[in-house]
Amino acid sequence: MFLTDEEKGMRDGAEGEAVAAAMDLLIRYGDALGAERLVETRNVAGTMTQPSPAKRRLFEEGGWAKAYAVINLDCDREIEIPRMRVPTCQLQHGFGPDAAGLTKYAPESIELQGSAESYYSERGVNILATCTPYQVGNLPVRGEHCAWMESSAVVYCNSVLGARTNCEGGASTGAASLTGKIPYWGNHLPENRFATHLLQADVSVDDFQEWGMFGYFVGETVQEARPAVIGELAQPDLADLKHFGAATATSGGVELYHIPGITPEAPSLEAAFGGRPAPEPIRYGPREREWVYETLNGQGTSTDVDFVLLGCPHASLDQIARIAYLLEDRRLHDGTELWVMTPRALRTMADRNGYTRTITQAGGRVLTDSCPAMSKAAPPGTRVFATDSAKQAHYLPAILGIEAWFGSLDECIDAAVTGRWRGGLS
Ligand code: F3S
């Protein structure tokens, strides 16, 4: 791989051992990918503070420096970790103190995470603690090269913001934050950003649930390719696109999609395909929609719901406001829990606006930092849960061995206050 003089200097130790280890990792990684060079990034989103058994063991052996060296730099020497060279943020991590005692999630993990947070924030990592960094201040601009992890964030970054990132891992983001470099391949290359497939909605895609269902179909259909979507699409908002992208990255591995006239790199269908003729569309009609609904509800048998989960990807302030509105002067069913997951910064605004109070008075909780799928924990005794998120409906039954119902926000709130699932496809 071609290296600039600056990069060679970093590799050879001009900026210290940690940067040299980071550059060595990026060179090996880039060579394995066939990248011809590195590209500068000033926007890294990783998962340094998220606890894991391996991190705990390494921390106990040699502190956070050792954990970072081994996990994020693939280096087994004892090295000092300097301040991050470029702006870096922490994505979602494990449950935080606000979830202590609510689940079987280990208190030691919350403590470990607190210790990691102090260490990394001293080194310049912004603890956003969310899968939606773009909702709380990390908003790259169109064309900006980024190094992000988290599939739902990556697809939003590429598609909605028009910034450029591959779906990175702990090691490559760790090395990128210390060098400000990432291999120039995949989604960074302009020629790899045009659509490959065309999908046409013949049914109306006009609300949060429908965008999630359509996304699930698109991901299942194109897997890791790049879809352009057209048809009966109502104007989406941030939450719709967040849900759509997360669903495409759940049933498939979509990292970039185009909606002509909506997303920034597709002012037109022609532009989405880079001037090449668009292929014949794959149709999403009533049968396909029903298939998605049946698939996402394939795990539900009992209609007794003991847990309702909202906020995957993490809820926006508008979504929390809507939940609060629906819960005004109502009480949750005895024995049914409701959790709304959101970034901590938005929780502060929800507190300020009184939304948290309304949700809490009804018996629900607004929690931050993580989610049941990520922390592998739900309220004790959960057997059946309901959600408006295609991603959680897909993953949580396998992760926790529980039944799932997927539906609209209104149906989920109804389940929370009645303890019964009464949803259905209209
Ligand atoms: Fe976020 Fe958890 Fe969903 S990390 S995207 S809320 S699975």
Side-chain angles (χ1 to χ4, degrees), residues 128-130 132-137 238 242 313-321 341-353 355-356 366-368:
L128 301 186
T130 175
T132 60
Y134 49 86
Q135 294 196 116
V136 288
L238 179 153
K242 196 173 53 156
H314 280 177
S316 67
L317 192 61
D318 289 344
Q319 289 176 286
I320 301 173
M341 308 309 308
T342 194
R344 215 183 282 191
L346 294 186
R347 156 80 199 238
T348 303
M349 287 192 245
D351 292 353
R352 193 168 187 175
N353 281 285
Y355 305 145
T356 310
V366 181
L367 300 175
T368 63

Side-chain angles (χ1 to χ4, degrees), residues 301-377:
T301 54
S302 166
T303 52
D304 293 335
V305 173
D306 34 32
F307 176 41
V308 175
L309 176 71
L310 304 170
C312 169
H314 280 177
S316 67
L317 192 61
D318 289 344
Q319 289 176 286
I320 301 173
R322 173 87 190 144
I323 295 163
Y325 171 75
L326 291 173
L327 282 173
E328 245 166 51
D329 301 323
R330 297 173 91 182
R331 265 306 293 170
L332 296 199
H333 178 260
D334 231 9
T336 304
E337 293 245 17
L338 166 72
W339 291 1
V340 182
M341 308 309 308
T342 194
R344 215 183 282 191
L346 294 186
R347 156 80 199 238
T348 303
M349 287 192 245
D351 292 353
R352 193 168 187 175
N353 281 285
Y355 305 145
T356 310
R357 190 176 57 242
T358 306
I359 293 169
T360 310
Q361 274 171 356
R365 299 178 193 277
V366 181
L367 300 175
T368 63
D369 295 2
S370 190
C371 71
M374 204 47 65
S375 292
K376 301 183 175 50

Side-chain angles (χ1 to χ4, degrees), residues 160 214 232 385 408:
V160 183
F214 185 37
E232 289 188 43
F385 92 112
S408 68

Side-chain angles (χ1 to χ4, degrees), residues 104-115:
K104 287 204 177 121
Y105 192 71
E108 306 81 58
S109 294
I110 298 177
E111 211 176 296
L112 187 73
Q113 185 166 277
S115 154

Side-chain angles (χ1 to χ4, degrees), residues 58 73 154 166 169 190 194 196 238 241 245 253 295 359 374 390 398:
L58 291 163
L73 301 178
V154 164
N166 292 307
F194 299 123
T196 54
L238 179 153
L241 293 183
T295 304
I359 293 169
M374 204 47 65

Side-chain angles (χ1 to χ4, degrees), residues 92 131 150 152 246 311-314 341 370-371 373-374 389 391-392:
Q92 72 274 5
C131 48
E150 166 51 40
S152 71
C312 169
H314 280 177
M341 308 309 308
S370 190
C371 71
M374 204 47 65
S389 162
K391 183 169 177 175
Q392 291 279 342

Side-chain angles (χ1 to χ4, degrees), residues 66 99 118 149 160 235 260 281 290 298 327 339 358 362 364 376 422:
K66 169 131 192 184
S118 308
M149 293 173 68
V160 183
Q235 172 68 44
E290 209 172 297
L327 282 173
W339 291 1
T358 306
K376 301 183 175 50
R422 302 191 292 190

